[in-house]
Amino acid sequence: MILNCLRSANRMLCRRGLAFSFCVLIASAAALPAADRDKSQEQGDTPTSTKLRSRTTSKKPYTTGATGETARIAAEIDTLIRQSWTDNEIRPSAEADDAEWIRRVHLDLVGHIPTLEQTKSFLADRDKNKRSAMIDQLIDSSDFVDNWTTIWTNLSIGRQTPRRTSRTGMESFYRQAFSENRPWNEVVRDIISAEGHYEENGAVNFLLAQMTARDEAVQATAKTTRLFMGIQVQCTQCHNHPFNKWKQDQFWEFNSFFRQARRIDHRKLDPDTGRMVDDYSELVNRGNVEGPVYFEKRSGLMQVAYPKYQGKTVDPGADTNRREVLAKLVTTVDESSLQSSGARPMIADALANRLWGHFLGFGFTRPVDDMGPHQPASHPRVLELLAIEFAKHNFDVRELMRWICNTEAYNLSSKFGPKNKIDDPAIGEMPLFSHVYMKQMNAEQLFDSLLVATNAHQSGQTDLEKSKQRRQNWLQQFVRTFGTDENDEATSFNGSIPQALMMMNGELIENAVSAKEGSFLHSVLANSDNDSKKITTLYLTALGRRPLGKEQKAAQQLINRSSDRLTGYQDLFWALLNSNEFILVH
């Protein structure tokens, strides 16, 4: 199969030799600072220098046009981040230009690139508050709900749905939560304490997905702490943690809360085959479970552990609903302590850290779900500020995102130069957030962005349900080709041969550049614009920017040297969609 794909790709690349080399030209242009790209467009040439101009940090506070609490909190974050730049003697990158920023904020908030019309409208808008307005517009959109429903469903149960788990139920739960902007502590409380039918109460699917094996709730314990509390305790089931304060007995004390949970898999008779088949699953509490759990120490001694959370012992009797008690302990806020000392539940820090990592490319800890004294945060005061304000604002997830997106750090360019080249967490350095760190699109972002850029879903495909099924089939194929069971690694674009073949030679790409009626390329070729304007349109829709002078000339040469103009435009669009600049979030 791989050999056939290689042969097919080779035939395609022979035809598209110029187009393939065009990707290199695009990559070199993407490395240029935004200011130099603008200058190049004006002069019709590509500058040879990729260094940033010398830039001192402005004394004037940065603002995206936000007002009220959003402006106050974003400004406080900016002050703390700027201090870290001063302490480390670096200068931040320039502010991202509008083309770079609108593409980034769309991918981060709604999971796909902006449409051509959205890009053109934003670039033409002269309102100084347009970035803040765009953030609000995206956060209030249905695409925002769709995107974050997908993100948290994948985090909770994985992209490959575990057996006897309902993805539909899990998605339904999160969709309602994000649509109604439910407080995050309520969402977490519902998930930990959930009981019932896996579609009637979709929250149960989080624990059902962790209960596919008889493991005494070990996986449920580890997943709950990692995802919602930002700590990793899985290794302490066998021994004390060598670096943090978690001990073996603490793991089993936490585990005790989940021992009442039981999954029941129901079956039914299939009248066509006369056989029993899967029907549905449910999560119930076994009220007869009481007393401690027993675990074995490395010395061979048996120990007991009663349900206990952060020093608070819970009645282990059969009448106690342990998960319900745990859900309250994990999510309840003591308002007086919050106001006086900033005391808040761990879920506040965990989500603040995770979302900062989502938007900036790196969290305050690495990984974001392994917080604790063994791994101090890079910017503890920023993390504390975000977590406290998040708790004070009733765990409003949209507000938390709004604060982060309005910070100066998020609005910087991804380009860096000699004054901040040491800010490179990818090689193990502490993140200083003096520029935005580039990320690779995940599978969902790539698929949806290809549809936005090409109208490929409309080319020869009009049935909505078939389009959805096609998307799911593509995602499953992608995960199966590149993925593992670790969700954060499942769709990483690492330059592997299978990933390259899927992008270059896959059905979606071929359909996107086929110029069938209804496709974006068909509409471009059908209008009366000259070649220069058509090339610019393809750049704007694929990369969100106008071509540089050298790119414009090279694109024209590619079209002129092709066997026919249709082939030339197909090869040009193919090159843009297969470039690193398209795949990267920058």
Side-chain angles (χ1 to χ4, degrees), residues 527-536 552 556 565 569:
N527 66 39
S528 58
D529 289 341
N530 58 32
D531 283 344
S532 178
K533 289 183 178 180
K534 289 178 179 177
I535 291 170
T536 298
Q552 185 83 42
Q556 188 66 63
R565 298 184 66 76
Y569 274 104

Side-chain angles (χ1 to χ4, degrees), residues 250-267:
Q250 290 176 290
F251 176 90
W252 293 106
E253 288 168 354
F254 196 83
N255 170 269
S256 298
F257 287 101
F258 296 94
R259 288 302 188 90
Q260 291 174 325
R262 178 189 176 192
R263 69 174 300 152
I264 302 177
D265 297 326
H266 295 270
R267 296 167 65 82

Side-chain angles (χ1 to χ4, degrees), residues 19-32:
F20 189 72
S21 63
F22 203 80
C23 293
V24 178
L25 179 62
I26 298 170
S28 65
L32 294 173

Side-chain angles (χ1 to χ4, degrees), residues 91-139:
R91 291 177 181 172
S93 296
E95 181 182 332
D97 63 18
D98 286 342
E100 180 181 4
W101 184 87
I102 188 176
R103 187 178 190 275
R104 175 196 307 163
V105 78
H106 270 75
L107 282 164
D108 285 343
L109 283 174
V110 298
H112 58 72
I113 62 174
T115 65
L116 175 63
E117 292 73 21
Q118 288 171 324
T119 299
K120 285 183 174 180
S121 176
F122 189 79
L123 295 181
D125 191 351
R126 294 292 175 250
D127 187 346
K128 65 179 181 179
N129 299 326
K130 66 180 182 179
R131 292 195 178 187
S132 182
M134 177 59 68
I135 293 168
D136 291 342
Q137 177 184 327
L138 293 177
I139 286 178

Side-chain angles (χ1 to χ4, degrees), residues 277-293:
V277 296
D278 291 346
D279 188 7
Y280 69 93
S281 296
E282 64 176 329
L283 186 65
V284 300
N285 253 20
R286 292 180 297 173
N288 60 340
V289 175
E290 60 181 326
V293 299

Side-chain angles (χ1 to χ4, degrees), residues 288-440:
N288 60 340
V289 175
E290 60 181 326
V293 299
Y294 298 88
F295 66 96
E296 185 178 359
K297 302 191 71 172
R298 298 185 70 178
S299 63
L301 294 175
M302 296 299 295
Q303 297 287 317
V304 299
Y306 289 92
K308 183 185 295 186
Y309 176 73
Q310 292 191 336
K312 182 177 179 58
T313 302
V314 175
D315 181 1
D319 293 335
T320 301
N321 185 325
R322 298 186 187 184
R323 284 191 295 123
E324 190 174 278
V325 173
L326 175 65
K328 292 179 180 178
L329 291 172
V330 169
T331 61
T332 299
V333 179
D334 184 324
E335 291 294 340
S336 60
S337 297
L338 176 63
Q339 298 297 331
S340 62
S341 63
R344 69 274 178 192
M346 297 171 70
I347 60 169
D349 297 68
L351 191 65
N353 193 29
R354 182 177 291 277
L355 290 186
W356 185 270
H358 172 86
F359 289 105
L360 275 298
F362 284 89
F364 301 113
T365 65
R366 187 167 30 175
V368 294
D369 56 6
D370 189 18
M371 304 167 67
H374 65 293
Q375 187 170 225
S378 61
H379 295 69
R381 293 177 63 192
V382 178
L383 176 57
E384 180 183 45
L385 171 64
L386 283 169
I388 291 176
E389 293 293 348
F390 182 42
K392 287 182 176 179
H393 287 77
N394 196 30
F395 296 90
D396 190 322
V397 177
R398 295 191 184 194
E399 282 299 292
L400 178 57
M401 294 183 187
R402 190 174 281 112
W403 302 333
I404 295 173
C405 290
N406 277 283
T407 62
E408 179 177 17
Y410 183 74
N411 282 269
L412 295 175
S413 172
S414 60
K415 316 303 181 298
F416 61 89
K419 295 299 183 181
N420 63 346
K421 65 181 180 181
I422 65 169
D423 184 7
D424 189 0
I427 61 173
E429 299 293 335
M430 181 183 73
L432 298 173
F433 307 110
S434 66
H435 62 93
V436 167
Y437 309 116
M438 288 190 290
K439 303 166 289 189
Q440 295 170 328

